[in-house]
């Protein structure tokens, strides 16, 4: 198992290295001079030259990359043009917000998804199975931004149960923060929990038909043991993959949700950075997201190794 | 002798889109204490379904619709399929060795995890004692290095070794009856022989009875005391091993025996297949189900319904056929000349 983890970790580092290169190249793939684009139409030649020098754009490509990477590894992503402060400071402010919301919705969708999936599978064809299946199908199809707007209209505007939008740190005012976070977290969880419910249900139904489940019954084991010890561990293998993938979906979802609910998180930062052509912010943001997704993949792989002993020897 | 298991008029059906499949249609049999019984028949004749019915392991769309399964004086059909009474019997008093050793063990649990829980659940043993007992049992069924192999996963074992694990699993609680459902079909011939020797010595040692479900006549000839021949969801012939092999009475049994090669056959002698296909279990005729494939049928076979299993006078041999003694003689001698 340790060997397996080390192998996966080394692979992750390689992937991150490649991702960092691609991320950095983005700035050069776009047409035109990045410095001129960042400063806008009003900038003078001197200003542009000064920025080019500041951003090392007047050096050879690989020197620039080496400089940027070594700085990035030390947490220095340069100074934002838009906000006039170091990018790392802005990210330090924004990242926890997104992580907090994503983490909550990841936990919520995993628990709801697996729980509902198990209930549907063992009570297959029952009323509850049918209702949950319809809801889950709708949940996969519904667009996040639409759900967000509907939520704001119904619970914020009409019923006035929840605040319309905004963000408060849970450390400042937990109750207010929770009220504000409730709708964004639910919006972020709907797709994930629906997908996980469907996968858990079908995967468990598949496993329940296997010979080794018949063996478990033939040994005289009771239903809880057959389902939770013998079937679930097998059924969860594809579900774990989905949960890992869900993190990627959450990043995309964060961009929409944070925009709809006006939350100062990474998603909003990326959108604002891209609109303002603040490439330093975009580069840093994309790199960080890539790191998070790679780590999620690493955790997924390790969970697979733990769930399925056959994988470790491949 | 009082039988430990007595099945009376068992009927198990499957509801399918094309109709009702009568997989087991009025099967009666018994198993005596410490007896090895063979149940023989071709694929789809209901031999496995009969055994799964005894264990109450029939899943939807299958359903046991009638009969009695008497075990230790109780009718198992009065219990809920997965209820506490059946759970106490399964794995403890009646255990099963399945056909596919590759898929019958859970791939994500170690052998130990899968065997220890049986002792914990049925005998209430502590994990430590159960583990010790499992190691002893694995050792007994011939798994080398059992004390370290217990923590391996099924994919670390070969097919033959996995079936040994299944046999150890079946024996753990010292059951009254072990049902081996084609236990060696997926294995090579040498391994088959070793496993049957193992099972025979184990049931003798633990004083259990053994039901061997198979389509391999060679196996039952060697190990079974008594044999049931099944065809189209019913038992067509029953007798001691010697009787069945020396004096087969049902044309189907005779056909089966003729289709098996023998070492003492004349060189160049051809095997005789049973012509035709087994009947469609959805549209069963009221006459003998073997009739369309039978070369010895008489007028009575075509007009009267399939007879019940009846005793051949002066023997302990039962057969479901209208043919008379002279006809059997002719039938068998015919086999010797073709």
């Amino acid at each position: 198992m340790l060997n397996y983890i080390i192998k996966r970790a080394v692979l992750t580092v390689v992937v991150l290295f490649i991702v960092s290169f691609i991320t950095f190249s983005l700035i050069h793939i776009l047409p035109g001079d990045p410095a001129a684009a960042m400063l806008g139409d009003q900038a003078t030649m001197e200003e542009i030259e000064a920025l080019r020098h500041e951003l090392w754009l007047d050096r050879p490509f690989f020197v620039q990359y080496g400089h940027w990477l070594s700085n990035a590894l030390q947490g220095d992503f340069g100074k934002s043009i838009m906000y006039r402060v170091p990018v790392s400071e802005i990210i330090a402010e924004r990242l926890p917000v997104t992580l907090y919301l994503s983490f909550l919705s990841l936990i919520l969708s995993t628990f709801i998804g697996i729980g509902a999936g198990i209930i549907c599978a063992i009570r297959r064809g029952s009323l509850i199975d049918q209702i949950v299946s319809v809801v889950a199908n709708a949940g996969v199809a519904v667009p996040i931004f639409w759900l967000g707007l509907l939520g704001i209209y119904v619970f914020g505007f009409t019923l006035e149960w929840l605040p319309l939008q905004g963000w408060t740190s849970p450390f400042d005012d937990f109750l207010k923060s929770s009220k504000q976070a409730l709708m964004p977290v639910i919006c972020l969880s709907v797709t994930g929990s629906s997908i996980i419910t469907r996968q858990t249900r079908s995967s468990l139904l598949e496993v329940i038909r296997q010979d080794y489940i018949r063996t478990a019954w033939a040994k005289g084991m009771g239903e809880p043991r057959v389902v939770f010890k013998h079937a679930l561990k097998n059924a969860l293998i594809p579900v774990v993959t989905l949960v890992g993938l869900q993190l990627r979906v959450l990043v995309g979802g964060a961009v929409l949700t944070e925009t709809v609910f006006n939350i100062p998180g990474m998603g909003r930062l990326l959108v604002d950075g891209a609109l303002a052509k603040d490439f330093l912010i975009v580069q840093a943001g994309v790199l960080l997201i890539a790191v998070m997704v790679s780590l999620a993949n690493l955790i997924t792989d390790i969970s697979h190794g733990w769930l399925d002993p056959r994988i470790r020897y491949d | 002798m009082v039988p430990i298991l007595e099945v009376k008029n068992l009927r198990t059906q499957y509801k399918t889109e094309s109709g009702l499949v009568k997989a087991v249609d009025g099967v009666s049999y018994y198993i005596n204490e410490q007896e090895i019984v063979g149940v023989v028949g071709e694929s789809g004749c209901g031999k496995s379904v009969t055994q799964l019915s005894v264990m109450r392991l029939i899943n939807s769309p299958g359903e046991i619709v009638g009969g009695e399964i008497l075990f230790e004086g109780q009718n198992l059909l009065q219990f809920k399929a997965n209820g506490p009474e059946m759970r106490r019997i399964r794995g403890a008093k009646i255990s099963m060795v399945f056909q596919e050793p590759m898929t019958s063990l859970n791939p994500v649990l170690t052998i130990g995890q899968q065997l220890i829980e049986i002792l914990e659940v049925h005998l209430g043993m502590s994990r430590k004692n159960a583990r010790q007992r499992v190691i002893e049992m694995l050792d007994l069924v011939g798994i080398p290095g059992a004390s370290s192999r217990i923590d391996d996963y099924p994919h670390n074992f070969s097919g033959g070794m996995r079936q040994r694990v299944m046999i150890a699993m079946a024996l753990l609680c010292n059951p009254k009856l072990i049902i081996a459902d084609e236990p060696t079909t997926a294995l090579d011939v040498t391994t088959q022989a070793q496993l049957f020797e193992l099972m025979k010595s184990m049931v003798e040692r633990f004083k259990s009875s053994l039901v061997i479900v198979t389509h391999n006549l060679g196996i039952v000839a060697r190990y079974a005391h008594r044999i049931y021949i099944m065809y189209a969801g019913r038992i067509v012939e029953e007798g001691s091993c010697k009787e069945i092999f020396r004096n087969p009475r049902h044309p189907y049994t005779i056909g089966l025996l003729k289709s098996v090669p023998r070492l003492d056959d004349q060189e160049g002698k051809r095997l005789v297949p049973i012509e035709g296909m087994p009947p469609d279990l959805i549209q069963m005729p009221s006459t003998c189900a073997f009739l369309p494939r039978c070369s010895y049928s008489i007028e009575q076979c075509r007009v009267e319904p399939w007879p019940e299993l009846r005793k051949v006078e002066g023997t302990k041999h039962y057969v479901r056929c209208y043919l008379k003694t002279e006809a059997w003689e002719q039938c068998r001698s015919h086999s010797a000349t073709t």
Side-chain angles (χ1 to χ4, degrees):
Chain A
M1 187 71 188
L2 192 66
N3 265 342
Y4 173 78
I5 294 175
I6 292 171
K7 240 164 75 182
R8 291 286 133 183
V10 170
L11 262 176
T12 305
V13 172
V14 173
V15 167
L16 284 178
F17 189 75
I18 296 168
V19 166
S20 76
F21 184 78
I22 296 172
T23 312
F24 179 77
S25 309
L26 278 179
I27 200 169
H28 293 276
I29 292 168
L30 296 169
D33 182 55
M38 285 162 98
L39 290 174
D41 298 337
Q42 313 294 318
T44 62
M45 279 309 285
E46 287 76 39
E47 282 172 332
I48 294 174
E49 266 318 304
L51 185 62
R52 280 178 64 82
H53 186 72
E54 193 194 321
L55 297 178
W56 284 47
L57 289 171
D58 49 359
R59 319 276 168 94
F61 178 78
F62 282 99
V63 177
Q64 288 178 38
Y65 173 62
H67 174 73
W68 177 75
L69 186 65
S70 71
N71 279 343
L73 284 176
Q74 296 165 49
D76 177 7
F77 294 98
K79 207 168 144 191
S80 160
I81 308 295
M82 182 166 56
Y83 297 98
R84 312 273 170 201
V85 283
V87 172
S88 52
E89 273 180 28
I90 308 173
I91 287 177
E93 220 172 83
R94 302 289 193 98
L95 188 62
V97 176
T98 302
L99 283 183
Y100 177 73
L101 293 177
S102 307
F103 189 67
L104 279 184
S105 58
L106 191 67
I107 300 221
L108 190 69
S109 49
T110 307
F111 274 90
I112 291 182
I114 293 178
I118 293 173
I119 294 170
C120 287
I122 56 182
R123 298 283 170 263
R124 182 188 189 179
S126 66
L127 187 66
I128 185 155
D129 174 30
Q130 289 175 13
I131 292 172
V132 171
S133 295
V134 168
V135 172
N137 279 336
V140 174
V142 70
I144 293 181
F145 68 89
W146 178 80
L147 202 68
L149 292 173
L150 188 75
I152 290 172
Y153 182 74
V154 174
F155 298 104
F157 184 73
T158 312
L159 296 172
E160 292 182 17
W161 288 355
L162 296 168
L164 292 174
Q165 56 170 39
W167 165 259
T168 311
S169 163
F171 298 110
D172 294 344
D173 182 346
F174 187 76
L175 191 70
K176 191 178 174 201
S177 162
S178 303
K179 276 183 163 178
Q180 285 177 331
L182 190 62
M183 273 200 290
V185 167
I186 290 175
C187 281
L188 279 172
S189 313
V190 165
T191 319
S193 42
S194 303
I195 294 176
I196 294 170
T197 301
R198 279 155 41 119
Q199 179 65 55
T200 306
R201 177 181 183 273
S202 67
S203 155
L204 198 56
L205 283 177
E206 177 70 32
V207 168
I208 279 172
R209 285 207 304 266
Q210 298 296 314
D211 287 350
Y212 53 80
I213 296 302
R214 189 180 59 187
T215 307
W217 286 118
K219 290 194 296 190
M221 300 297 129
E223 184 170 21
R225 198 182 271 258
V226 171
V227 171
F228 289 101
K229 182 173 176 183
H230 289 265
L232 199 57
K233 208 176 164 194
N234 283 286
L236 281 185
I237 294 167
V239 175
V240 163
T241 312
L242 260 187
V243 173
L245 283 173
Q246 218 38 53
L247 205 99
R248 251 169 274 180
V249 177
L250 283 176
V251 171
V255 173
L256 292 170
T257 322
E258 287 171 12
T259 309
V260 170
F261 290 99
N262 196 21
I263 295 166
M266 282 298 285
R268 267 274 303 290
L269 182 66
L270 271 176
V271 173
D272 293 346
L275 289 175
K277 297 201 171 76
D278 196 337
F279 293 115
L280 294 178
I281 284 181
V282 177
Q283 275 181 339
V286 171
L287 187 68
L288 271 178
I289 287 169
V291 170
M292 288 192 296
V293 170
S294 301
L295 286 180
N297 285 349
L298 180 66
I299 296 170
T300 310
D301 282 349
I302 293 172
S303 319
H304 272 161
W306 173 74
L307 280 170
D308 189 346
R310 288 165 298 186
I311 289 175
R312 286 174 224 162
Y313 297 85
D314 287 350
Chain B
M1 206 177 337
V2 184
I4 59 158
L5 177 78
E6 195 170 5
V7 174
K8 289 180 182 168
N9 201 22
L10 179 70
R11 292 190 299 127
T12 304
Q13 301 179 339
Y14 285 81
K15 286 194 187 88
T16 67
E17 279 178 14
S18 37
L20 199 61
V21 177
K22 293 177 179 171
V24 177
D25 196 19
V27 162
S28 303
Y29 68 100
Y30 63 92
I31 314 286
N32 287 324
E33 235 169 87
Q34 295 188 47
E35 191 182 30
I36 299 180
V37 172
V39 177
V40 185
E42 60 198 334
S43 302
C45 72
K47 55 193 190 301
S48 290
V49 176
T50 306
Q51 304 311 320
L52 289 173
S53 302
V54 171
M55 291 290 273
R56 300 296 309 278
L57 288 173
I58 299 294
N59 288 329
S60 164
E63 197 190 348
I64 301 171
V65 292
E68 277 178 80
I69 298 169
L70 299 169
F71 178 75
E72 291 188 330
Q74 287 176 305
N75 181 6
L76 300 189
L77 292 182
Q78 71 186 328
F79 301 134
K80 273 181 71 181
N82 292 329
E85 298 89 354
M86 271 322 292
R87 293 208 306 270
R88 272 196 287 275
I89 291 170
R90 283 181 194 156
K93 292 179 173 171
I94 308 179
S95 57
M96 216 161 164
V97 178
F98 290 104
Q99 185 170 0
E100 284 289 338
M102 297 301 178
T103 55
S104 293
L105 288 166
N106 195 322
V108 303
L109 299 176
T110 64
I111 298 304
Q113 285 171 324
Q114 297 184 56
L115 269 67
I116 289 167
E117 67 176 358
I118 299 177
L119 293 170
E120 287 176 341
V121 168
H122 288 302
L123 305 181
M125 285 172 85
S126 72
R127 181 150 302 184
K128 198 168 152 241
N129 291 344
R131 187 181 164 89
Q132 199 47 47
R133 177 88 161 268
V134 168
I135 292 173
E136 287 165 18
M137 189 57 85
L138 290 175
D139 195 50
L140 203 62
V141 299
I143 289 174
S147 54
S148 64
R149 294 291 266 161
I150 186 173
D151 294 319
D152 279 346
Y153 289 91
H155 70 268
N156 302 123
F157 291 82
S158 69
M161 282 295 160
R162 284 186 216 189
Q163 208 58 311
R164 282 177 195 265
V165 171
M166 288 296 285
I167 292 170
M169 188 184 271
L171 289 166
L172 271 177
C173 293
N174 196 358
K176 288 269 177 219
L177 174 64
I178 298 172
I179 299 170
D181 186 2
E182 306 208 31
T184 61
T185 308
L187 303 170
D188 66 73
V189 186
T190 353
T191 315
Q192 281 186 14
Q194 288 169 356
L195 285 175
F196 274 107
E197 287 299 330
L198 173 70
M199 273 194 274
K200 185 168 185 273
S201 69
M202 287 294 138
V203 294
E204 279 166 6
R205 182 184 175 128
F206 289 96
K207 301 192 177 356
S208 307
S209 305
L210 176 66
V211 176
I212 301 173
V213 177
T214 181
H215 54 250
N216 187 332
L217 282 165
I219 286 167
V220 287
R222 192 178 170 101
Y223 298 101
H225 304 134
R226 221 152 37 80
I227 295 174
Y228 289 96
I229 308 281
M230 279 190 76
Y231 187 77
R234 299 186 195 191
I235 287 170
V236 294
E237 188 164 3
E238 179 212 332
S240 70
C241 188
K242 268 185 196 165
E243 265 292 310
I244 296 272
F245 278 87
R246 290 204 186 135
N247 300 311
R249 310 271 170 158
H250 199 282
Y252 175 63
T253 314
I254 295 166
L256 277 182
L257 288 168
K258 276 196 279 186
S259 60
V260 178
R262 295 175 57 102
L263 275 178
D264 55 3
D265 275 344
Q266 273 175 292
E267 210 177 315
K269 187 190 165 201
R270 287 183 168 268
L271 291 176
V272 185
I274 303 177
E275 299 290 341
M277 296 285 287
D280 183 356
L281 293 176
I282 293 173
Q283 292 172 331
M284 285 279 284
S286 64
T287 52
C288 172
F290 190 64
L291 181 64
R293 303 170 79 183
C294 184
S295 337
Y296 312 103
S297 55
I298 53 176
E299 185 57 27
Q300 196 178 7
C301 302
R302 282 180 277 272
V303 284
E304 288 181 34
W306 203 356
E308 290 302 310
L309 208 58
R310 56 199 174 85
K311 198 170 179 177
V312 180
E313 272 170 50
T315 61
K316 282 186 170 178
H317 200 136
Y318 294 79
V319 67
R320 197 166 201 153
C321 187
Y322 285 117
L323 293 185
K324 299 285 183 302
T325 315
E326 315 82 67
W328 295 324
E329 296 294 340
Q330 194 192 359
C331 192
R332 286 198 292 270
S333 65
H334 183 234
S335 73
T337 55
T338 41

